[in-house]
Amino acid sequence: MSQDINITIIDREGVSHEVEAPTDMAMNLMEVVRSYELAPEGTIGVCGGMAMCASCQCYVLSEHELPEMQDEEEAMLAEAFYVKDSSRLGCQIQMTQELEGLKVELAPES
Amino acid sequence: MIKTDILIIGAGPTGLFTVFEAGLLKLKCHLIDALPQPGGQCSEIYPKKPIYDIPAYPEILAGDLTEKLLEQGKQFEPGFTLGERAETIEKLEDGSFIVTTNKGTKHHAPVVAIAGGLGSFEPRKPLIHNIANFEDKGVEYMIKDPEVYRNKRVVIAGGGDSALDWSIFLSDVASEVTLIHRRNEFRGALDSVEKVQELKNKGKINLITPAEVVGILGDDHVAGVVVTKADHIPTEFEIECDHFIPLFGLSPKLGPIADWGLEIEKNAIKVDNSLDYQTNIPGIFAIGDVNTYPGKLKLILCGFHEATLMCQAAYQIINPGKRYVLKYTTVSGIDGFDGTRKEAPKAVVKSID
């Protein structure tokens, strides 16, 4: 069975990217965005993935059931900008087989 | 004026390990950090999180790592300026530097090592077009002196502990407190949320949710704010006030260091990694997460390596022309600046009669 899933990431310029994300490397969505360089370095994952900065905020456009928000993520999104009902922090979304076909859009830099 | 050999900006793991490596070379260090205690992110943000990639520690809590680094460098008697942010730097004719903090503390050193990690944590500013015009003119991102708000009308924005706690506190100081939050739910300590509810019921706090401040009114001082309330039919209205305090948490920023004339790339300081992690300004080095170079990895263990090489270069600047031979601590031991000496016990050779 393939360890990779296909996901769609719309960057901050509105360009859609279909990318393969490994599910066997403990990667989260923010790290996938960084590995494909879909956002300038220094503008995403600033805190290293500790739900401390909201630089990896994204809007979930597909109907996937995502892992439940933990307190840190919810607290961060309560204070972040450009937040919508569909907002999540990319660093808190681990790549798993269940996320095949996931579609997200990166929130504006703030 | 505080004088030292290497002035380290940032007291995180990389800065703390620099103390030890510099000490081996008989160089004294002084550290500046905006946080009130050493340890950087490790002690401030995730002291109880385990770290798994520190050599020889299969697992160590970030707070414990800080303690061990402090212990390791203790005999080299580092100085600390804590709770102050390095604000300005001045290069003297002899090539040395004077670094002044936001509280005016001056430090003089021939070498400056920036080990600032993610930078300093600064208040996150709301996206209000004219907010900059009112900073320190009624807009404050943090409360330093609550007495400023006595008998004033205050609007606080935010949904975390800070917004709740200050709303509670200022309800006894200000003439009027309005708390505005984008959501109906608050993400704070339960007792704080309940207290705000109680004060709202008593009429001591005016609570407006879900709503946002979208504009500030006034000429040369805040006179009011413009609020949009997200009801079924969104409404926009004005609230008269003397102070607007947005409390949206902190965000890591390079801070004043960004204005020191250093070459910045990707929100980090560019260094020469082929040699010694020196910046474009001779005598100023950048080590740890704050720097960037081809192949850079933001790992604590890489910061330790960078600190070690940087100290060798610092030694040459401080002791020009002086020869230094790399020593192994196993062989030479460690002579602390406090008079202590650590060394392996000597083998005793005795003849047998």
Side-chain angles (χ1 to χ4, degrees):
Chain A
M1 191 174 74
S2 168
Q3 298 288 334
D4 293 353
I5 55 171
N6 299 290
I7 62 175
T8 303
I9 299 166
I10 300 170
D11 68 22
R12 291 176 183 145
E13 309 298 316
V15 180
S16 182
H17 305 264
E18 302 211 355
V19 301
E20 289 185 346
T23 59
D24 58 346
M25 290 177 66
M27 277 179 97
N28 59 49
L29 182 60
M30 175 271 285
E31 289 161 343
V32 173
V33 173
R34 284 183 68 183
S35 66
Y36 281 97
E37 297 177 352
L38 300 182
E41 190 61 30
T43 70
I44 187 157
V46 172
C47 76
M50 288 183 282
M52 264 171 44
C53 70
S55 63
C56 63
Q57 184 193 169
C58 60
Y59 309 125
V60 180
L61 305 178
S62 53
E63 297 295 316
H64 288 76
E65 194 167 324
L66 295 173
E68 205 176 326
M69 258 195 228
Q70 299 300 300
D71 282 352
E72 291 110 335
E73 182 181 3
E74 206 158 337
M76 188 68 245
L77 284 172
E79 292 181 332
F81 303 122
Y82 304 116
V83 174
K84 298 180 183 178
D85 290 343
S86 60
S87 285
R88 290 296 302 258
L89 295 183
C91 67
Q92 301 302 299
I93 301 173
Q94 290 297 316
M95 293 295 97
T96 61
Q97 294 287 338
E98 291 72 30
L99 297 186
E100 169 67 34
L102 178 74
K103 188 173 184 181
V104 298
E105 180 184 357
L106 302 184
E109 189 189 350
S110 65
Chain B
M1 178 92 75
I2 294 164
K3 288 180 182 287
T4 190
D5 293 321
I6 302 178
L7 181 66
I8 303 166
I9 295 165
T14 298
L16 293 176
F17 190 66
T18 305
V19 171
F20 177 79
E21 284 297 328
L24 293 181
L25 303 173
K26 304 279 184 278
L27 302 176
K28 208 162 183 337
C29 293
H30 188 96
L31 301 92
I32 301 175
D33 202 298
L35 294 170
Q37 74 284 318
Q41 287 178 67
C42 285
S43 58
E44 180 73 6
I45 296 160
Y46 54 97
K48 297 295 177 196
K49 278 192 189 245
I51 306 173
Y52 300 105
D53 61 350
I54 303 297
Y57 283 101
E59 180 179 334
I60 184 168
L61 298 182
D64 292 348
L65 177 67
T66 300
E67 290 305 315
K68 290 197 174 296
L69 286 163
L70 283 164
E71 187 188 335
Q72 192 170 22
K74 193 177 169 203
Q75 72 265 30
F76 296 123
E77 299 180 316
F80 287 95
T81 299
L82 297 172
E84 299 184 29
R85 190 175 68 174
E87 203 80 11
T88 61
I89 191 163
E90 179 193 353
K91 190 164 190 169
L92 305 181
E93 276 186 25
D94 65 356
S96 64
F97 301 92
I98 291 179
V99 173
T100 308
T101 68
N102 58 327
K103 292 189 180 168
T105 311
K106 290 188 181 296
H107 309 75
H108 180 229
V111 170
V112 173
I114 301 169
L118 292 176
S120 51
F121 284 77
E122 298 187 0
R124 194 175 286 111
K125 300 180 181 183
L127 307 161
I128 300 171
H129 71 97
N130 61 344
I131 196 163
N133 304 340
F134 293 97
E135 287 175 0
D136 298 322
K137 295 173 185 169
V139 167
E140 292 92 25
Y141 300 108
M142 54 179 66
I143 295 171
K144 293 170 186 160
D145 177 13
E147 279 304 309
V148 167
Y149 308 102
R150 183 159 298 279
N151 301 325
K152 303 286 187 192
R153 298 163 303 172
V154 176
V155 171
I156 294 174
D161 279 316
S162 289
L164 292 164
D165 293 347
W166 281 115
S167 296
I168 294 164
F169 187 89
L170 291 180
S171 67
D172 278 336
V173 176
S175 61
E176 200 177 285
V177 174
T178 303
L179 175 59
I180 295 172
H181 181 37
R182 197 175 45 218
R183 299 178 177 188
N184 289 319
E185 306 79 27
F186 284 86
R187 299 293 317 164
L190 185 60
D191 57 347
S192 301
V193 177
E194 286 171 348
K195 182 74 181 167
V196 167
Q197 180 69 59
E198 185 191 319
L199 290 166
K200 183 204 170 196
N201 296 345
K202 286 180 179 171
K204 292 197 76 176
I205 289 179
N206 177 25
L207 188 65
I208 306 175
T209 64
E212 276 187 90
V213 173
V214 294
I216 300 170
L217 306 166
D219 294 324
D220 57 354
H221 195 277
V222 170
V225 292
V226 181
V227 179
T228 57
K229 193 168 183 333
D231 287 326
H232 295 300
I233 302 166
T235 53
E236 187 169 286
F237 53 93
E238 295 175 2
I239 299 175
E240 287 185 3
C241 65
D242 306 301
H243 291 273
F244 172 48
I245 309 169
L247 297 171
F248 292 105
L250 301 170
S251 166
K253 290 275 185 294
L254 212 44
I257 290 169
D259 303 321
W260 286 8
L262 298 160
E263 206 176 337
I264 308 283
E265 188 183 87
K266 298 173 185 170
N267 207 32
I269 301 168
K270 212 170 163 184
V271 293
D272 176 5
N273 67 308
S274 64
L275 192 62
D276 53 14
Y277 305 99
Q278 193 158 216
T279 66
N280 58 312
I281 301 176
I284 303 182
F285 297 80
I287 50 178
D289 285 1
V290 79
N291 76 12
T292 185
Y293 53 82
K296 168 71 183 177
L297 291 177
K298 291 189 178 188
L299 295 172
I300 291 173
L301 68 97
C302 295
F304 291 168
H305 163 80
E306 291 164 11
T308 307
L309 294 193
M310 184 279 294
C311 285
Q312 298 288 327
Y315 180 88
Q316 295 302 333
I317 290 172
I318 294 163
N319 302 292
K322 212 169 172 182
R323 287 178 174 276
Y324 174 78
V325 179
L326 178 73
K327 295 175 184 175
Y328 296 119
T329 53
T330 331
V331 176
S332 58
I334 299 174
D335 290 304
F337 298 161
D338 56 0
T340 59
R341 174 160 176 80
K342 289 178 182 171
E343 62 180 331
K346 295 277 187 291
V348 178
V349 180
K350 279 188 77 176
S351 56
I352 300 172
D353 296 330

